[in-house]
Amino acid sequence: MAVDVYLNFNGNCREVVEFYADVFGTELPKIMTFGEAPPNPEYPLPEEAKNLVMHARLNIHGSNVMFSDVFPGMPFIEGNNISLAVVSTNLDDVKAQFNKIKEGGKVAMELQETFWSKCYGQVTDKFGIAWQFNYDNGESVM
């Protein structure tokens, strides 16, 4: 199990990732855009979102740092653009920890299956800390 840092940006994520890769001497990561995600006919992708970064990851001195642009129309406040991502190969832990941490908090996305995970959810705890919970069964596309 790991707790990783997840940073969000307002349209300049690709520039940020390339800058940090250069600063820390890492390889350039695979960058997935919103336009590369499987389409959902119920939620057509706006044109302005297609080239924005949906997900990128760098390993900086042994720590995973993940990156994304915020989706158009979603709130972005510089300084509050960070969350902690719990990544676990134990589905029971993911469910139990998510359910405990959401008590008194605000769920942004209930635990559910996504195209990259059999179980993923987002919640801001009662102390204002944003969390992402992700079950990793070894089949992740990201």
Side-chain angles (χ1 to χ4, degrees):
M1 183 183 312
V3 177
D4 299 326
V5 177
Y6 210 110
L7 304 173
N8 296 109
F9 295 91
N10 199 22
N12 63 336
C13 186
R14 185 178 301 273
E15 175 187 359
V16 171
V17 170
E18 291 172 355
F19 175 74
Y20 288 153
D22 180 57
V23 167
F24 295 104
T26 70
E27 292 183 22
L28 285 177
K30 178 184 180 307
I31 293 176
M32 176 182 254
T33 65
F34 285 105
E36 294 171 319
N40 182 340
E42 295 177 31
Y43 302 100
L45 189 65
E47 193 62 37
E48 66 269 23
K50 289 183 178 176
N51 291 320
L52 294 177
V53 174
M54 180 177 172
H55 181 78
R57 176 178 39 219
L58 294 175
N59 188 285
I60 300 174
H61 299 301
S63 295
N64 283 322
V65 180
M66 296 181 286
F67 303 84
S68 178
D69 280 312
V70 294
F71 199 77
M74 297 296 291
F76 175 83
I77 301 170
E78 194 168 293
N80 289 349
N81 53 326
I82 186 169
S83 61
L84 299 176
V86 175
V87 180
S88 177
T89 57
N90 185 317
L91 183 58
D92 291 335
D93 284 351
V94 169
K95 290 178 179 180
Q97 292 166 1
F98 182 89
N99 287 325
K100 283 182 183 177
I101 208 164
K102 77 179 187 180
E103 292 175 17
K106 182 177 180 187
V107 174
M109 182 177 178
E110 281 290 350
L111 288 175
Q112 60 190 267
E113 186 170 340
T114 65
F115 74 89
W116 69 86
S117 175
K118 297 289 182 192
C119 187
Y120 173 84
Q122 299 174 0
V123 62
T124 299
D125 69 23
K126 63 184 176 183
F127 304 107
I129 304 300
W131 293 85
Q132 299 179 55
F133 285 81
N134 193 46
Y135 169 59
D136 179 7
N137 66 352
E139 298 175 9
S140 176
V141 298
M142 300 183 11

